[in-house]
Amino acid sequence: TYAAFALASSLTAEVEQRAPGRALLTGVLTYGAATLVGLSRMYNNAHWASDVVLAAGVGTLAGVDVVRWQHTHPGNWIDRTFQRVSLVPTASGGAALAVHLDAP
């Protein structure tokens, strides 16, 4: 539930920054899916309602905080490090780690 709400809040916050007209639809879809995750946890007797509500609140705050931090710290060391690395498919059907030396 925590991860589902963190994803929902970060996606919704990012869409609100980039395409404000689509934020409502994004929020309805992502928070709806996150709510279903929480309800399934209660349905399967994996958690109590209080657990799910707390996880939803903490996940929402974490997702919004990540987006806020990212927008106030452009070019941070995480971006500089991980924007240079990507996973690419190989001809044999495997994958290789590629390092881009010219990335920003």
Side-chain angles (χ1 to χ4, degrees):
T1 303
Y2 168 83
F5 274 89
L7 179 64
S9 63
S10 62
L11 284 175
T12 303
E14 191 65 35
V15 168
E16 190 173 0
Q17 293 272 335
R18 295 176 184 258
R22 296 185 178 156
L24 179 62
L25 177 61
T26 303
V28 169
L29 293 175
T30 58
Y31 280 106
T35 300
L36 290 176
V37 169
L39 291 174
S40 73
R41 301 295 293 162
M42 290 187 299
Y43 179 78
N44 291 322
N45 290 323
H47 291 287
W48 292 338
S50 60
D51 299 339
V52 171
V53 170
L54 183 63
V58 172
T60 299
L61 291 174
V64 169
D65 197 37
V66 164
V67 172
R68 184 180 304 134
W69 188 87
Q70 178 62 29
H71 284 279
T72 57
H73 295 85
N76 59 65
W77 72 269
I78 296 172
D79 286 347
R80 289 191 313 269
T81 303
F82 291 108
Q83 285 180 349
R84 295 178 189 269
V85 179
S86 61
L87 197 60
V88 295
T90 61
S92 63
L97 196 63
V99 178
H100 308 278
L101 300 176
D102 60 345

